[in-house]
Structure formats: structure tokens, C-alpha cells
Amino acid sequence: KNEVEQSPQNLTAQEGEFITINCSYSVGISALHWLQQHPGGGIVSLFMLSSGKKKHGRLIATINIQEKHSSLHITASHPRDSAVYICAVREGNKLVFGAGTILRVKS
Amino acid sequence: DADVTQTPRNRITKTGKRIMLECSQTKGHDRMYWYRQDPGLGLRLIYYSFDVKDINKGEISDGYSVSRQAQAKFSLSLESAIPNQTALYFCATSGGPGANVLTFGAGSRLTVL
């Protein structure tokens, strides 16, 4: 079993829809990261969470430490949000990555 | 200029050739990492370094070596490339509080024929 599981693996949405991507992990962590990878390949850090909730523009990330679960929400989705979204957890000095969720937003 | 620069961005080579991927950073971060990404799999750690004199193997270090030439430079070598090393390689740095500020390079796509 992977230490970090993301769902769904693939997601297609219509422009304007509210999107949720989930991340579950099985190890004790000190922090959780959400990353975005665009088709060109570059990876950008969106959020780092150790508790609660963070918001940046149309993106919201939440984490429930007791349930070992995090969600990334995108409000009013837009085609430019199309990317791979990656969850990563910090376990000691190590980062463990999920396989990513491929999001496509259609206009 | 990018905070983390990887060269080359693309390389096609033949089995048995030696390949070096280079990474330099302007973030001033002490920690540097090399990952590989394969379709359907999460990023996997090859090697990491927490300072110039500290080099550590990651989960998939076989067939790879690294050199931390300076705080800002961390290179990855494939001494004798093989086709299953065809992948997208990322260099990353971390720093800041708890070393939780992550910055990735743009990636180096390596194809081994």
C-alpha cells in the first residue's frame, strides 16, 4: 500500500465547477505539501500545511491530522487550472509523494 | 533567472553512455534533492544533500551518483545509462522554517535508447 494515496487519479470538469482533490496518508507527518505540475513539466509549490486550512486566491487546502487526510479545493475552475496536482507529506527528513491527480478543465 | 536551474532540459543518449545532469540554485537553501518521475508513479528520491559535506542515498540510488560541488550546485551522474533510466528528473531545494519551502527545477527529460 502506498504511503500517500490521491483520489481521483483523473478528473475532468467544466469551467466554473467546484473541484476537490483528496490526499490520504498512512504515516505520521510534520507537514503536507500541495504541488502543481503543468504540462510543460515544471512543479510549483502551492501550499504547505501542518494544521487547519489555507487559502490563496481560488485555491483552498485543508488538513485533518487525526484522520490523516487533506483536500485541495478549486473554486470557479478555469481551463488554466488544468495540471497535475501532487500531494507530498514530510516524514522526518523525507518527502513522500502521491502519484498525482490529472485535472482537465474544459471551457 | 530561475531559482533552480537544471541543465540539460532534454537529452537523448545511448545505453552505456555516461550522463551528467546539473543543478544550480540561487535560493541559498542548504538542502538539495534529485528525484525521478515516471508515468503513474510519484516522484521518487534518488539522492539528497543537506550541506556540501553531506550526501545521502534515497530510495532508488542504484545506478546513480551525485556530487555537491558547492552549496549552490548539485549534479547527478549516470555512469552507464540503461533504458529503464529513461525518465523526467527533477532537482529541488528546501529551506526556510522547518526546511518546508520547496523549490523545483524545470526538469530534465532523459531518454536512453
Side-chain angles (χ1 to χ4, degrees):
Chain A
K1 185 181 188 302
N2 292 334
E3 293 180 348
V4 180
E5 296 274 0
Q6 287 186 235
S7 62
Q9 290 182 314
N10 288 277
L11 179 57
T12 299
Q14 285 296 133
E15 184 173 358
E17 286 184 357
F18 181 84
I19 289 164
T20 296
I21 299 170
N22 297 297
C23 176
S24 296
Y25 52 92
S26 58
V27 295
I29 68 168
S30 58
L32 182 143
H33 297 263
W34 281 103
L35 310 167
Q36 180 191 56
Q37 183 174 22
H38 274 284
I43 299 174
V44 174
S45 179
L46 297 175
F47 294 105
M48 190 280 292
L49 294 161
S50 53
S51 64
K53 175 180 173 178
K54 287 190 176 179
K55 183 176 189 293
H56 181 70
R58 294 180 296 105
L59 302 178
I60 303 166
T62 64
I63 188 168
N64 184 317
I65 298 293
Q66 287 75 25
E67 294 186 3
K68 297 188 174 179
H69 181 269
S70 176
S71 293
L72 177 68
H73 305 287
I74 304 175
T75 61
S77 60
H78 190 277
R80 65 175 174 267
D81 297 325
S82 298
V84 178
Y85 292 84
I86 302 169
C87 170
V89 300
R90 180 173 291 283
E91 182 190 8
N93 286 327
K94 192 173 68 163
L95 271 177
V96 182
F97 293 81
T101 294
I102 301 171
L103 172 64
R104 180 179 171 217
V105 182
K106 297 195 288 187
S107 57
Chain B
D1 286 346
D3 292 326
V4 180
T5 301
Q6 290 184 230
T7 56
R9 294 292 315 281
N10 284 283
R11 174 64 60 89
I12 300 172
T13 191
K14 294 182 179 179
T15 297
K17 294 292 188 182
R18 185 177 187 272
I19 289 293
M20 180 180 286
L21 305 180
E22 297 185 332
C23 178
S24 63
Q25 54 120 343
T26 59
K27 297 290 291 183
H29 289 167
D30 288 324
R31 299 184 179 195
M32 297 188 74
Y33 310 82
W34 276 104
Y35 295 95
R36 69 176 276 176
Q37 186 179 44
D38 297 278
L41 298 178
L43 288 156
R44 292 183 293 165
L45 182 63
I46 306 172
Y47 271 96
Y48 63 103
S49 169
F50 284 176
D51 67 41
V52 174
K53 295 181 181 178
D54 176 75
I55 302 286
N56 303 281
K57 292 183 176 181
E59 58 186 304
I60 54 162
S61 60
D62 287 349
Y64 302 95
S65 63
V66 291
S67 174
R68 184 84 183 261
Q69 301 95 323
Q71 191 220 25
K73 295 184 184 294
F74 192 37
S75 58
L76 176 71
S77 293
L78 289 69
E79 295 300 326
S80 180
I82 56 176
N84 76 1
Q85 291 177 314
T86 293
L88 185 56
Y89 291 84
F90 285 97
C91 175
T93 72
S94 69
N100 277 319
V101 176
L102 285 177
T103 306
F104 285 82
S108 296
R109 187 168 297 280
L110 176 65
T111 303
V112 184
L113 302 176

